Amino acid sequence: MTETNTGTETTTDGETADVLVVGSGIAGCSAALAAAREGADVLLLTKATKPDDASTDWAQGGISTTRGDPQSLKRDIVDASDGTADPDAVDALVETADDAVEDVLVDTLEVGFDESDDGSFDYTREAAHSDYRILHVDAATGTHILRPFLNHLDDHERIEVRQDTAALELITAEGRVHGVVSDERSSGKPIYAGATILATGGIGALYGRSTNPADATGDGIAMAALAGADVEDMEYVQFHPTAYAGEDPFLLSEALRGEGAVLRNGDGERFMDEYHPQGDLAPRDVVARAVETERAETGEVVLDVGPLEFEVDYPGIAAKCRDRGIEGEKIPVAPCEHFLCGGVDVDKEGRTSLDRLYAVGECARTGVHGANRLASTSLLEGLVWGLRAGEDATGFDPEPVEAPELRNRDPDLPERFAAEKFTRLTQTMDEYLGLERNPEEIARASAVLRRLKGEVDAYIRTRTARDLYELRNASVTALLIARAAGENTESVGCHYVATDPDESTAEPPADD
């Protein structure tokens, strides 16, 4: 999908950086660190104003290592992907995984991973892993990685972190990316860079229930696609099987099941052995569909944490349960949007199809995950590809070219305009592009999303409000998901296509 900046003027008045990173999760931080280590001056832009605005801060279970056996981890990754992961990409991950973790997280940041009584690392196990190989801090690993990482970058003489700043458009000329236009002034501010690295995270805001922060609107994917970059595997939207089933969902880490918690249906029965040989530790896509089936047939599914020392070993999750009035050992759960396995297509160094544009983390499609991601590989992928991209992106000089000067001439839209359009978008995604899809519903979603994007485009030509651009990005990303889902008629991994017409009974969301 490509699109021109209709109705804009151009300017070359801006600032420069050797390497520009957009996003402040583990992937963006790793890219910034690697580029600075190579002697580059790095500018990191982030919409976030605090760490928990980044998806990394929300990551619970941990970060996988190979624990000295890369081939074992590779087998688990490929098996969890339903055989669709790119073997070369998986090799690139597992062959450097342990060195990257030791270098950055252990030696540089000194993350206090949990230890056993003898002082060795307390590795845990999660779904579809064949061994105990996951480093963790309680069940709040992302927080304990990201916050010291950001502090480290703040103290680095070659890195500037600029918060509360959104990238609105990529600056392109003849197939090369020269930086971004940010929202630092009403008409947009050009920032030119020798290389630009997108690390903007996921797409959780496109769904009504998600484990992602509210600003995960697919920004990097949309900007790259509109500039002409290749995107792949957008249909593979992963739903986590065990999020709290009530309002304000939160993740119940797979580490709980890895240590003995079990799923029970409304009749009090364990059911996962009927769906997969690995039972409660089956791949996420299998468990998520099983949980949804059992909820429909028996009324609810709960995660029984009775076999655990829950309050002692998982105090953070236990506190969230208490905050929501959950008493006892049985926590009601339901599937919830969690991770996009596809994104901007990149190679082993994070290079996209556009010159000097890189993508890392959840907005990138490395090929590691294929159709379904193995637990606790997202932080690892962000770390490894961030380091690779940051190192590769150095050595280019910024080249100021004409950049779009975004117009901001019309009155502000009503306060609830973007929010109301976003509601229609999330209703469409929930109804038609969720855990199960069928061809008719995918086609309905595409029609609604095309109309929505057309409406947003009409307004965005003369206004530069961030919420409008986030809505634009979300609508573009949603359309890419719908298009990919419509083109893939095979059920594989987390893209499950139901072909029975009786399974498509929902009415399309209203257009207003």
Side-chain angles (χ1 to χ4, degrees), residues 274-328:
E274 300 175 11
Y275 289 88
H276 196 276
Q278 290 177 284
D280 290 288
L281 293 179
R284 281 181 179 168
D285 62 311
V286 176
V287 182
R289 289 193 295 273
V291 168
E292 193 65 16
T293 298
E294 294 294 323
R295 278 169 50 84
E297 293 181 354
T298 69
E300 72 169 351
V301 168
V302 298
L303 184 66
D304 182 354
V305 298
L308 310 178
E309 293 291 335
F310 184 53
E311 293 277 351
V312 174
D313 293 338
Y314 301 96
I317 298 177
K320 289 182 179 181
C321 291
R322 289 195 300 272
D323 290 344
R324 289 161 177 77
I326 303 170
E327 299 179 357

Side-chain angles (χ1 to χ4, degrees), residues 8-22:
T8 63
E9 298 174 354
T10 58
T11 180
T12 57
D13 178 24
E15 62 179 304
T16 62
D18 294 335
V19 175
L20 172 65
V21 179
V22 184

Side-chain angles (χ1 to χ4, degrees), residues 154-175:
D154 280 339
D155 293 337
H156 202 293
E157 63 182 3
R158 287 193 172 274
I159 301 172
E160 177 188 350
V161 178
R162 194 171 297 171
Q163 299 185 62
D164 193 22
T165 306
L168 303 180
E169 302 278 3
L170 293 176
I171 301 170
T172 61
E174 299 180 350

